[in-house]
Amino acid sequence: MSTPTAEMTGEKKPMDLLRFATAGSVDDGKSTLIGRLLYDSKSIFADQLEAVEATSSAKGHDYVDLSLLTDGLRSEREQGITIDVAYRYFATPSRKFIIADTPGHVQYTRNMVTGASTADLGLVLVDARHGLTEQSRRHAVLLSLLRVPHLVLCVNKMDLVDYSEEIYEQIHAEFTQFATKLNIPDLAVIPISALKGDNVVDRSEAMPWYSGPTLMHHLEHVHVASDRDLVDVRFPVQYVVRPKSDEHHDYRGYAGQVAGGVLKPGDEVIVLPSGMTSKIQGIDLFDQEIDEAFPPMSVTVRLEDDVDVSRGDMIARVKNAPEPSQDIDAMVCWMTNTPLKPRQKLAIKHTTRTGRALVKDIQYRMDVNTLHRDQDTKELGLNEIGRVQLRTTVPLLCDPYSKNRTTGSFILIDEATGVTVGAGMING
Amino acid sequence: MTQTHADYRMSQLDQLEAESIHIFREVAAEFEKPVLMFSGGKDSIVMLRLAEKAFFPAKIPFPVLQVDTGLDFPEVLSTRDNWVNRLGVKLVVASIDEAIANGVVVDDGKTSRNRLQIGTLLNAIEENGFTAAFGGGRRDEEKARAKERVYSHRDDFGQWDPKNQRPELWSLYNGRLHEGEHMRIFPISNWTELDIWDYIGREGIEIPNIYFSHQRRVFERDGMLMSETPLNPTREGEVVEERTVRFRTCGDITLTGCVESTASNIPEIIEEVAAARLTERGATRGDDRFSEAAMEDRKKEGYF
Ligand SMILES: Nc1nc2c(ncn2[C@@H]2O[C@H](COP(=O)(O)OP(=O)(O)O)[C@@H](O)[C@H]2O)c(=O)[nH]1
């Protein structure tokens, strides 16, 4: 919907993908910033812009309120707030971007955890006038908990503090200090004005003291290909492909999306939980046989031996396989009104396995603002996060979340309502 | 191991394809009776292609459902037949005319066919006992869609409750249903219009030829160019003339406008789309123009 992609202009380097999640308290300027990114990357069309211009002038603004571009559902429009995760898209010649726009509001933690779960990068906004707030710290904590590998702190509304270097440096220092307590492998702090456009796409003339990249430049160049685990082979089997046609009479393939490592024909593999071993005979990508498969490719793997493999099994390397376990120790984010309590039974979905789980213990509740561990409370309420011990009916073939975000995560489902009520990240 | 990192990259289109194939396989594995809703447009053709890849060399393990509005472009129907025959999938047609005749929906003469599709579709889903219906919706299409999940839960009345959606994390989709409920599945949620065109070009797959530039007798209505057809009589003052046009969406022939264009192949269309001044829906879908919240209203009622 914007500038032509490399793929279509026939240039050599194909366009890659960056998924990022945005976070900010109400009024920090998140909608304005997203509106500006879309606007400046020419991802907005005449009719959308006209509608926004009309609404802006009807509201008596003397400027085009770019935040209106990202307004979602009607009820939210009426209340003037955003209440759910929304996804937005824009592209530059080298990259396509998927934004998970997670609004600041009562449901905050739930929304942010959802948005961050698939993000390569987290973007936290602060208002330069107010500096770091309790909420900005919480946003950083959540992004770190979800192991989002790259974080950008945007110090917004610099125009309202006379583009002061001192204020920027102060916020920068304070945040860097706080970040040492967290898992943030890559941090950038960028002074911007979302409203005026400074350092968003174009370099600001008002802040000659800042020598770092603009936000767009950073988003375009941050290196994400190496964030995935390319060492430990993890292939959760989704579906068994058996054509049973004359032409492919004996074909039996295991379809799935590679969650870790690089698979190659000839590799000796183990099928879990059965523990049977075989060799990879071939890897198919539609009608092509390929030499190797790596995350996040969706492929079909054929094995040399006629071993019994079904959905929910996992293919790994013989000397590098997860230990099947029914005792799970995880950080759980609780997402529904009725609190989570010990002895509760839930359905659990982990990779392609589904089973049931019993809550054995809630060790502590974590205060996401202070990182304080509250060991006295034995429940988790809506939007609370805590360390939970589970016993599952089926063994899970899992890794620590810090090693692999796919094999280290699970969701909890209320068996009566069918609703997703919890998100878990396995410790280890 | 570190030296190989740089090599293991996937283009964004390959990543989108992998994500969509993952979704198709999850649904085929977890739902009793899935169905793919085929509108005839480019998005549902891309869905068919992705489904073909997901299960190859086996056939697509679910049928294709089309709502016959009686006002479909003949070119769209013939493309549909070519696809269905080549893939060897079962086609289920739910006809609006039959639904009217059977009293499933009421034609009061004022409601657009597009709206009558809702009742017809829901009835077909219920009658056939489909528990999951793939749709070609994309989140970049329209504001209301931006918040919709990949697995979008529908209650017994086929309704979507935008305020009460299940959280959707990682690539862990929750397909739990109660009796009578069904799930709408949007496997190409994260694709943009340009991605769709890139993919059609890359895969070299057949789409209805009305997407390409051609000569057509058209007239102007509400700022849109409509096709001359007995199904859509001209009103006073509307003048029919021949122009060089193409369609950007394929819907109901009486509501779907075309744009003047000389784009006669995929690269030219991509160029045109990239430089477009109007979003797809705003430009050519009559039924979205009534109000800004029109789409949202129809979705709540169970529209695609
Ligand atoms: N002066 C100034 N105002 C801004 C800036 N960014 C946002 N605003 C204003 O701050 C208010 C809140 O912005 P909005 O984008 O709606 O915040 P959100 O609640 O975080 O989405 C609006 O009145 C914006 O016009 C900025 O960089 N400078």
Side-chain angles (χ1 to χ4, degrees), chain A residues 1 5 8 15 19 46-47 71 74 76 87 89 96 114 117 223 238 292 298 311 349 416 418 420, chain B residues 8-9 12 18-19 22 26 30 140 146-147 168 170 173-174 178 190 195 198 270 277 279 296-297:
Chain A
M1 308 203 56
T5 66
M8 55 202 236
M15 198 185 205
R19 296 176 197 250
D47 57 340
D71 251 3
R74 183 199 312 205
E76 296 167 344
Y87 295 86
Y89 305 83
K96 170 172 163 176
T114 303
S117 70
H223 188 65
Q238 261 192 297
E292 47 186 12
S298 279
R311 174 175 168 85
K349 186 170 181 186
T420 306
Chain B
Y8 293 114
R9 286 189 193 195
Q12 73 102 6
E19 177 181 86
H22 172 83
E26 276 304 284
E30 291 203 313
D140 82 319
K147 304 193 174 194
E168 198 159 78
W170 298 289
Y173 301 104
N174 172 3
H178 290 110
N190 285 326
D195 296 329
D198 267 348
I270 288 174
R277 306 295 304 149
T279 51
E296 199 175 309
D297 285 339

Side-chain angles (χ1 to χ4, degrees), chain A residues 25-32 63 156-157 159-160 193-195:
Chain A
S25 315
V26 177
D27 284 343
D28 282 348
K30 198 159 55 63
S31 312
T32 308
Y63 58 92
N156 189 32
K157 307 199 186 182
D159 56 305
L160 297 181
S193 167
L195 192 70

Side-chain angles (χ1 to χ4, degrees), chain A residues 1-5 7-8 13-17 19 44-48 51-52 55 68-77 79 82-89 96 98 110 113-114 117-118 146 223 225-226 228 230-231 238-239 241-243 245 248 251 255-257 262 264 285-287 292 294-300 311 335 347-352 354-355 401 405-406 409-411 413-420 422-425, chain B residues 1-2 4-30 49 52-59 61 86 138-149 151 153 160 162-178 181 188-195 198 202-203 248 267 270-271 273-283 291-294 296-297 300:
Chain A
M1 308 203 56
S2 54
T3 28
T5 66
E7 200 129 10
M8 55 202 236
K13 197 168 162 278
M15 198 185 205
D16 74 355
L17 181 65
R19 296 176 197 250
I44 292 165
F45 294 90
D47 57 340
Q48 287 175 320
V52 164
T55 316
L68 294 170
L69 282 168
T70 60
D71 251 3
L73 303 174
R74 183 199 312 205
S75 54
E76 296 167 344
R77 277 203 293 289
Q79 294 162 43
T82 9
I83 50 166
D84 208 335
V85 188
Y87 295 86
R88 331 252 172 225
Y89 305 83
K96 170 172 163 176
I98 301 180
R110 165 180 146 158
V113 166
T114 303
S117 70
T118 51
L146 270 290
H223 188 65
S226 54
R228 296 180 188 274
L230 292 167
V231 178
Q238 261 192 297
Y239 188 88
V241 178
R242 296 219 55 189
S245 62
H248 303 282
Y251 188 98
Q257 187 165 23
V262 181
K264 296 188 173 95
L285 184 65
F286 184 39
D287 57 358
E292 47 186 12
F294 52 91
M297 287 171 76
S298 279
V299 296
T300 303
R311 174 175 168 85
M335 301 179 150
I348 186 167
K349 186 170 181 186
H350 169 262
T351 64
T352 55
T354 307
Y401 185 74
R405 289 168 81 189
T406 306
S409 55
F410 60 82
I411 55 170
I413 298 165
D414 182 309
E415 296 190 298
T417 62
V419 171
T420 306
M425 289 149 281
Chain B
M1 79 214 183
T2 25
T4 59
H5 278 186
D7 309 329
Y8 293 114
R9 286 189 193 195
M10 283 170 81
S11 74
Q12 73 102 6
L13 212 48
D14 284 335
Q15 289 191 50
L16 290 178
E17 180 188 69
E19 177 181 86
S20 302
I21 287 176
H22 172 83
I23 294 163
F24 273 110
R25 290 168 171 172
E26 276 304 284
V27 173
E30 291 203 313
R49 176 63 164 181
E52 176 186 12
K53 289 195 175 191
F55 305 104
F56 190 86
K59 280 186 186 163
R86 186 173 70 74
R138 291 181 280 110
R139 288 176 180 147
D140 82 319
E141 255 180 281
E142 212 276 337
K143 276 182 188 174
R145 283 217 203 266
K147 304 193 174 194
E148 186 150 10
R149 307 295 190 252
Y151 275 35
H153 182 259
W160 180 52
K163 281 198 145 173
N164 199 15
Q165 299 193 79
R166 295 174 177 177
E168 198 159 78
L169 300 105
W170 298 289
S171 48
L172 291 168
Y173 301 104
N174 172 3
R176 297 263 164 157
L177 290 177
H178 290 110
E181 299 173 342
I188 55 168
S189 286
N190 285 326
W191 297 54
T192 62
E193 187 185 10
L194 262 187
D195 296 329
D198 267 348
R202 177 180 106 169
E203 301 287 308
R248 296 184 65 192
I270 288 174
E271 213 171 287
V273 171
R277 306 295 304 149
L278 291 173
T279 51
E280 276 173 80
R281 285 184 174 273
S291 83
E292 208 195 337
E296 199 175 309
D297 285 339
K300 280 188 189 162

